[in-house]
Amino acid sequence: MSYCVNCGVELDKSAKKCALCSAPVINPLENTQQESPAPFADKVYMPKEVEKRLIAAVVSTVMTIPNIVCVLLNAFVFTNSFWSAYLCSTSFLVWVLFVFPFFLRKAKPLVLLAFDSVVSGLYLFLLNHLLGGKWFFGCALPIVAVNAVLVLVYILWAHKKRHWVHKLLCICSLLATSVLSIGVILDFGGGVNYALEAGVIVFCCVLAVVAFLGYCFASKTVRTWLSERFFI
Amino acid sequence: MRKNTFEWFRLDNAAKIFPGQNSQSWSNIFRLGIVLKEKVEPERLEKALEKTLSRIPSFNVEIRHGFFWFYFKRNPNKATVGQDIRNICYRVKFKENDGFLFRLYYHENRVNLDVYHALCDGYGAMVFLSTLIGEYLRLGGHTVSCNQIVLDVNEKPRVEELEDSYSKYADSKVKYNRRDKWVYHPKGTKAPRHFNNYTSGTMSFMQLRAIAKKYGATVTELLAALLIDVHYKKQLAENKKQREICIQVPVNLRKAFPSESLRNFVLCLRVKIDPNLGEYTFEEIIRSVSLQLKLANDPKLLNSLMTQNLKIERNPVARLLPLAVKNLGVGITFMITAEQTTTSLLSNLGPVVLPEDMACHVEKYYLYTGAGIVNSARCGVVSLGDNLVFTFSNCHKESDIEREFFTRLIKMGVHVKIESNRI
C-alpha cells in the first residue's frame, strides 16, 4: 500500500498519483500499480448533445419559405415594385445576425463582428439604392463603422476576466459614445437638426452617471459612507 | 390490489421538482454502489435485475408528460446492465436508456446504480440495490436471508411501497416557511461537461464514532461540522465579504413517520453558521451543528415543513397550470433558490444492516450524491460494518476542499483510504 507524503492518505493500489494533491506515486518496494484493478472504469461515455446546427438549419428553412413565396408573388402577381427585396434583405440580415453563428462550431467574435458589419453595410446600401436616397455614404456607412469599432473595443477589453460592474460601466460608456457618434454623423452628414445636441446631452448624462458609479465602486471610503447613510 | 396500481402513478411531492430542473448538462442523479468480495458476473446480474424489478415496480417505469403533470408509466422494455463508465452520474434524458430512469453498471467486483432522484431517495435506492445483490448472490448458489432492506423477490409488491408518503403524512395546521439567504459558494474551475470529479475516502466507522463521542456528537454531526469548518476557513482565507455557510442535511422521514414507501420520503434540514457573528472554533461549530440538527429533527416541525412544501401542489390554481408553465416556474425557482441557498450537501444513509449471510459477501457501500451546479463539493456517507465511505461529488477541477477535509480527519487520528475518478 502507498501513502501520499503530502496528504497522509492511503492511496488505491492502482493510483499513479494522489487524487488530492497530484503527488506522483513512487514506491520502489511495491511495483504492482499496473496490475491492480482500478476502482473506476476507463471508459468514458459522452451523452448525445442537442445538435445546434440542426436547429439552426430548421430555423433557416422556416425563414426561407415565406421569402420564396414573397419572391414568387412579386414576380407573377403583385409586380408593381420590388417590394420583396426589402423583405428578403431584412430576413437575410436577421439570419446573419442571429442564426448563422449557430452553424459555426466555435464562433470567433472578431470574425463574426467583421462579417455582421459588412452584411449590415450591404443591407443599408441596398435600402439606400432601392429608396433612391443619398444617405448611405454620409450617414449609414459611418454609423455602421463607428459601432463596429465600439464593439471591437469591447471585445478586446472583455477578453480578460472582468468584474461584472466594470463590464456594465464599459457597456454604458460605449453606448453613450455610440449615441454621441450617431448624433455627430447625423448632424454633419445627414443635416438632421438638433441631432448633435441630443447626442451630446445623452453622452454627458450617461458619462456623469458612469463616472459617479465607477468612483463609488472604486473607493472604499465612499462605499462605506453610502452604506452608512442609505441603508434600507 | 387493483391491477392498474402499477400501470401508472403520479410523481411524489419531491419528485415533481426534479424534471423541471433538468438541463442539457445537468440533472439530479446520484449513485449508490456496492463492493463485493467476488468479481461480478453480468449475466447473473441481469437475471437478478429482472426479478428485482418485478418485486420493486417503482423502478420499472418511464416518465411521461401529462398535460398538467409528469407521471410514471410501466416500462415495457427490458432493463439491461452495462460496463461501468468513468464519467459517472451524467445527466438523464427521458427517452434514452429505453426510458429507464436508472442505470446499472458493473466493474470488477463493483455494482453501481445511477438513479434519477425522481424515482426514489437514498433509502429506496439502498433497498433496490441490496435486494438486487441479495438475489444475485442467491442465483450464485449462496443462501441469503431477507430483512428490511433485502426484500424477498418472490413476494408480491405492496401498495404501501409505492405510496406518496408526503401526501399521506403532511397534515400540519401550521406551514413552516423557511427564508434562506444566498450563502457562500467556493469558486473554482468548472470540470468538463458531463465529467465531474468524484473522490471517496474509506475510513473506520468505530474510530470516527469514538471521536464524535469525544465531542458529544453523532457521526453525522461531526462530519457536517467538519465540512462547515473547511468552508469557513476557506472563506476566511479569501478575505472577502463573509457570507453564511449552510449545509443541507437530508433526513429520512421514515424514522419519524410509519411509512414503508420506497419512493422519495426525505426532507432537507439546513445547518448553518454566520461568520459575521464572530470567530468560530471547531468545538463551537460542532456544538452549534449538533443543537441545530437536534432542534430541527422534530416530527412536528418536519410535518409543518412537509405541509409547506405541499402547499403549491395542493393549490387549485397551480394545479391547473399547464406542465410547461410549471416546469418554467420550477426552473426559475431552482436557479434563484435551491443551491444558491446552500453551500454544500451532506447526505448520510447511515449504517447499513445486512443479513449476516449476505454481509460476509459485501465489502462496502458508497454513495455519490451527484455533483451540483454551484455547490462545489456535495458529500455522501454510508457505512457497512466498520467501513464508512465518505464521498465528494465536485463540479470543480480543484480538490482543495476534499484535501483539507481528509487531512483534518487524518490529524484527528482517522485512517483514510482514497479513490477517485480524476484523471
Side-chain angles (χ1 to χ4, degrees), chain A residues 63-64 66-68 70-71 74 82-98 116 118-131 135:
Chain A
M63 284 177 80
T64 313
N67 283 303
I68 294 170
C70 287
V71 169
N74 195 186
F82 285 119
W83 56 270
S84 65
Y86 299 107
L87 199 86
C88 291
S89 55
T90 309
S91 180
F92 180 67
L93 182 71
V94 170
W95 182 84
V96 167
L97 294 179
F98 302 108
D116 290 352
V118 170
V119 173
S120 304
L122 287 173
Y123 169 73
L124 291 169
F125 178 75
L126 183 73
L127 279 191
N128 181 54
H129 182 71
L130 289 171
L131 294 167
W135 43 264

Side-chain angles (χ1 to χ4, degrees), chain B residues 106-124:
Chain B
Y106 65 91
H107 173 67
E108 301 288 344
N109 55 343
R110 292 166 187 245
V111 178
N112 297 313
L113 178 71
D114 286 8
V115 194
Y116 185 44
H117 216 321
L119 271 191
C120 66
D121 56 13
Y123 177 82

